[in-house]
Short mmCIF file of all heavy atoms in Angstrom, two decimals:
data_model
loop_
_atom_site.label_atom_id
_atom_site.label_comp_id
_atom_site.label_asym_id
_atom_site.label_seq_id
_atom_site.Cartn_x
_atom_site.Cartn_y
_atom_site.Cartn_z
N ALA A 63 -19.42 -3.64 -3.54
CA ALA A 63 -18.57 -4.32 -4.54
C ALA A 63 -18.87 -5.87 -4.61
O ALA A 63 -18.68 -6.57 -5.56
CB ALA A 63 -17.14 -4.10 -4.38
N GLY A 64 -19.33 -6.27 -3.37
CA GLY A 64 -19.49 -7.76 -3.40
C GLY A 64 -18.26 -8.58 -3.24
O GLY A 64 -18.22 -9.75 -3.57
N ASP A 65 -17.07 -8.03 -3.02
CA ASP A 65 -15.78 -8.57 -3.18
C ASP A 65 -15.29 -8.43 -1.62
O ASP A 65 -14.88 -7.40 -1.24
CB ASP A 65 -14.98 -7.95 -4.17
CG ASP A 65 -13.54 -8.56 -4.24
OD1 ASP A 65 -13.15 -9.50 -3.43
OD2 ASP A 65 -12.69 -8.15 -4.97
N PRO A 66 -15.07 -9.57 -0.84
CA PRO A 66 -14.57 -9.39 0.50
C PRO A 66 -13.22 -9.04 0.57
O PRO A 66 -12.72 -8.51 1.63
CB PRO A 66 -14.75 -10.94 0.98
CG PRO A 66 -14.91 -11.83 -0.14
CD PRO A 66 -15.53 -10.98 -1.26
N ALA A 67 -12.42 -8.98 -0.57
CA ALA A 67 -11.07 -8.46 -0.50
C ALA A 67 -10.95 -6.96 -0.70
O ALA A 67 -9.97 -6.45 -0.52
CB ALA A 67 -10.17 -9.22 -1.59
N ARG A 68 -12.12 -6.47 -1.11
CA ARG A 68 -12.16 -4.88 -1.37
C ARG A 68 -12.36 -4.14 -0.02
O ARG A 68 -13.47 -4.12 0.48
CB ARG A 68 -13.25 -4.64 -2.36
CG ARG A 68 -13.09 -3.34 -3.05
CD ARG A 68 -13.73 -3.38 -4.41
NE ARG A 68 -13.66 -2.16 -4.93
CZ ARG A 68 -12.52 -1.75 -5.69
NH1 ARG A 68 -11.52 -2.68 -5.86
NH2 ARG A 68 -12.43 -0.62 -6.28
N LYS A 69 -11.22 -3.82 0.59
CA LYS A 69 -11.35 -3.13 1.87
C LYS A 69 -10.84 -1.68 1.78
O LYS A 69 -10.03 -1.29 0.95
CB LYS A 69 -10.45 -3.87 2.92
CG LYS A 69 -10.98 -5.20 3.18
CD LYS A 69 -10.04 -5.83 4.22
CE LYS A 69 -10.72 -7.16 4.67
NZ LYS A 69 -9.92 -8.36 4.39
N TYR A 70 -11.38 -0.80 2.61
CA TYR A 70 -10.93 0.53 2.83
C TYR A 70 -11.27 0.92 4.21
O TYR A 70 -11.77 0.15 4.99
CB TYR A 70 -11.61 1.39 1.86
CG TYR A 70 -13.05 1.72 2.17
CD1 TYR A 70 -13.55 2.86 2.66
CD2 TYR A 70 -14.06 0.68 1.83
CE1 TYR A 70 -14.90 3.05 3.03
CE2 TYR A 70 -15.44 0.95 2.10
CZ TYR A 70 -15.87 2.06 2.70
OH TYR A 70 -17.21 2.26 2.97
N ALA A 71 -10.85 2.09 4.57
CA ALA A 71 -11.10 2.64 5.94
C ALA A 71 -11.65 4.01 5.97
O ALA A 71 -11.45 4.78 4.99
CB ALA A 71 -9.83 2.56 6.76
N VAL A 72 -12.44 4.36 6.92
CA VAL A 72 -12.95 5.65 7.28
C VAL A 72 -12.25 6.08 8.56
O VAL A 72 -12.23 5.35 9.38
CB VAL A 72 -14.50 5.71 7.19
CG1 VAL A 72 -15.07 4.94 8.41
CG2 VAL A 72 -14.98 7.29 7.35
N GLY A 73 -11.73 7.30 8.46
CA GLY A 73 -10.95 7.81 9.66
C GLY A 73 -11.76 8.67 10.48
O GLY A 73 -12.86 9.29 10.08
N ASP A 74 -11.36 8.99 11.74
CA ASP A 74 -11.95 9.88 12.60
C ASP A 74 -12.10 11.18 12.06
O ASP A 74 -12.92 12.05 12.56
CB ASP A 74 -11.39 9.82 13.96
CG ASP A 74 -9.93 10.15 14.02
OD1 ASP A 74 -9.36 10.56 13.03
OD2 ASP A 74 -9.35 9.76 15.06
N ASP A 75 -11.34 11.56 11.11
CA ASP A 75 -11.29 12.97 10.49
C ASP A 75 -12.27 12.87 9.25
O ASP A 75 -12.49 13.96 8.64
CB ASP A 75 -9.93 13.29 9.96
CG ASP A 75 -9.38 12.39 8.95
OD1 ASP A 75 -9.97 11.23 8.78
OD2 ASP A 75 -8.42 12.69 8.29
N GLY A 76 -12.93 11.74 9.08
CA GLY A 76 -13.83 11.61 7.90
C GLY A 76 -13.19 11.33 6.56
O GLY A 76 -13.74 11.17 5.59
N GLY A 77 -11.85 11.10 6.60
CA GLY A 77 -11.16 10.79 5.39
C GLY A 77 -11.38 9.35 4.99
O GLY A 77 -11.67 8.52 5.96
N LEU A 78 -11.28 9.06 3.69
CA LEU A 78 -11.38 7.71 3.24
C LEU A 78 -9.97 7.32 2.85
O LEU A 78 -9.11 8.09 2.23
CB LEU A 78 -12.23 7.69 1.92
CG LEU A 78 -13.76 7.98 2.31
CD1 LEU A 78 -14.43 8.10 0.93
CD2 LEU A 78 -14.36 7.01 3.19
N TYR A 79 -9.61 6.10 3.29
CA TYR A 79 -8.29 5.65 3.32
C TYR A 79 -8.22 4.20 2.68
O TYR A 79 -9.13 3.47 3.00
CB TYR A 79 -7.57 5.59 4.59
CG TYR A 79 -7.51 6.96 5.24
CD1 TYR A 79 -8.48 7.46 6.01
CD2 TYR A 79 -6.29 7.72 5.00
CE1 TYR A 79 -8.39 8.63 6.59
CE2 TYR A 79 -6.30 9.03 5.44
CZ TYR A 79 -7.22 9.42 6.37
OH TYR A 79 -7.11 10.77 6.83
N TRP A 80 -7.32 3.94 1.85
CA TRP A 80 -7.06 2.59 1.33
C TRP A 80 -6.56 1.76 2.44
O TRP A 80 -5.67 2.16 3.21
CB TRP A 80 -6.23 2.66 0.09
CG TRP A 80 -6.34 1.29 -0.62
CD1 TRP A 80 -5.27 0.45 -0.72
CD2 TRP A 80 -7.53 0.65 -1.17
NE1 TRP A 80 -5.87 -0.70 -1.43
CE2 TRP A 80 -7.13 -0.59 -1.71
CE3 TRP A 80 -8.81 1.14 -1.37
CZ2 TRP A 80 -7.98 -1.40 -2.30
CZ3 TRP A 80 -9.67 0.32 -2.05
CH2 TRP A 80 -9.26 -1.00 -2.44
N ALA A 81 -6.95 0.44 2.53
CA ALA A 81 -6.39 -0.37 3.51
C ALA A 81 -5.35 -1.31 2.91
O ALA A 81 -5.37 -1.68 1.74
CB ALA A 81 -7.60 -1.25 3.98
N PRO A 82 -4.34 -1.65 3.46
CA PRO A 82 -4.15 -1.48 4.96
C PRO A 82 -3.96 0.09 5.18
O PRO A 82 -3.46 0.76 4.21
CB PRO A 82 -2.99 -2.19 5.34
CG PRO A 82 -2.13 -2.44 4.10
CD PRO A 82 -3.23 -2.48 3.02
N ILE A 83 -4.23 0.55 6.41
CA ILE A 83 -4.23 1.96 6.84
C ILE A 83 -2.72 2.45 6.49
O ILE A 83 -1.83 1.94 7.20
CB ILE A 83 -4.74 2.11 8.06
CG1 ILE A 83 -6.25 1.71 8.20
CG2 ILE A 83 -4.76 3.66 8.52
CD1 ILE A 83 -6.65 1.51 9.61
N ALA A 84 -2.64 3.49 5.80
CA ALA A 84 -1.30 4.25 5.69
C ALA A 84 -1.30 5.41 6.66
O ALA A 84 -2.28 5.87 7.19
CB ALA A 84 -1.21 4.67 4.32
N ASP A 85 -0.08 5.78 6.94
CA ASP A 85 0.01 7.11 7.61
C ASP A 85 -0.57 8.28 6.95
O ASP A 85 -0.63 8.31 5.74
CB ASP A 85 1.49 7.45 8.00
CG ASP A 85 2.15 6.40 8.90
OD1 ASP A 85 1.38 5.76 9.77
OD2 ASP A 85 3.25 6.12 8.77
N ARG A 86 -1.26 9.13 7.73
CA ARG A 86 -1.89 10.25 7.22
C ARG A 86 -1.03 11.24 6.70
O ARG A 86 0.14 11.46 7.21
CB ARG A 86 -2.81 10.99 8.21
CG ARG A 86 -4.01 10.13 8.48
CD ARG A 86 -4.93 10.96 9.43
NE ARG A 86 -5.99 9.99 9.94
CZ ARG A 86 -6.94 10.46 10.65
NH1 ARG A 86 -6.97 11.57 11.10
NH2 ARG A 86 -7.91 9.52 11.09
#
Side-chain angles (χ1 to χ4, degrees):
D65 178 359
R68 200 155 179 82
K69 293 184 174 123
Y70 70 101
V72 61
D74 53 14
D75 62 348
L78 294 171
Y79 298 90
W80 191 246
I83 301 163
D85 291 331
R86 289 185 187 183

